[in-house]
Amino acid sequence: SLVGEPSQHHDACDPAATPPRTQRCGRRRALSCSCCAVLVAALGACAFVFWPRLLVVCVHYLRITAGLSVSTIPPSAAVHLVVPVSFDSSNLWTLRLSAIEIDAYRAGAHGPMSRGVATEVAVSAGGVSSTSFVLTPVPSLGAERLLDD
């Protein structure tokens, strides 16, 4: 460089021209720590809202009702049980199920005694929801198998 001209090296090292390296690193570190803190807080909030909590399922045994339907053509009889069930949820979101299938077993039996389906079940957010299962006997058992057990 010529005498009297400011050196480019001199301008880059001038404390008034650029902040010290430690000051620049401190700002980056603070910014990255702030971004990480916001990200962790957002993930924590999402986990709190969407984390599934246990459902309490209560079968109301005292309110089970039985029904009998008889047809003359062709001659037949059908027995069914209506089993009321409630779901207690502490989740912060509603759960909708298109169908729940249930099999009922008797102690010592080798297969299900009856089957039932509940359709369009909605478990409400933070509350109690109710539905009923209509159980009908499994036709493949036969009367002789029921008597053997």
Side-chain angles (χ1 to χ4, degrees), residues 3-23:
V3 179
E5 283 186 23
S7 160
Q8 192 175 23
H9 177 71
H10 181 17
D11 287 340
C13 293
D14 184 14
T18 59
R21 180 173 165 74
T22 56
Q23 189 176 4

Side-chain angles (χ1 to χ4, degrees), residues 26-96:
R27 284 186 200 149
R28 280 191 200 141
R29 188 174 295 130
L31 182 62
S32 64
C33 286
S34 298
C35 289
C36 287
V38 168
L39 181 65
V40 167
L43 288 174
C46 287
F48 176 75
V49 171
F50 294 112
W51 192 268
R53 292 157 181 86
L54 292 177
L55 295 175
V56 177
V57 179
C58 184
V59 177
H60 303 283
Y61 293 104
L62 298 178
R63 295 190 301 180
I64 292 177
T65 58
L68 174 66
S69 57
V70 179
S71 174
T72 56
I73 302 175
S76 65
V79 178
H80 64 273
L81 292 174
V82 179
V83 181
V85 177
S86 64
F87 302 95
D88 188 4
S89 172
S90 60
N91 289 308
L92 301 177
W93 36 268
T94 298
L95 176 66
R96 295 189 191 280

Side-chain angles (χ1 to χ4, degrees), residues 55-65 81-89 97 99-104 115-124 127-135:
L55 295 175
V56 177
V57 179
C58 184
V59 177
H60 303 283
Y61 293 104
L62 298 178
R63 295 190 301 180
I64 292 177
T65 58
L81 292 174
V82 179
V83 181
V85 177
S86 64
F87 302 95
D88 188 4
S89 172
L97 303 168
I100 298 177
E101 297 179 5
I102 187 169
D103 291 342
R115 291 196 165 124
V117 175
T119 58
E120 298 303 322
V121 177
V123 180
S124 62
V128 178
S129 305
S130 298
T131 190
S132 293
F133 290 96
V134 178
L135 299 175

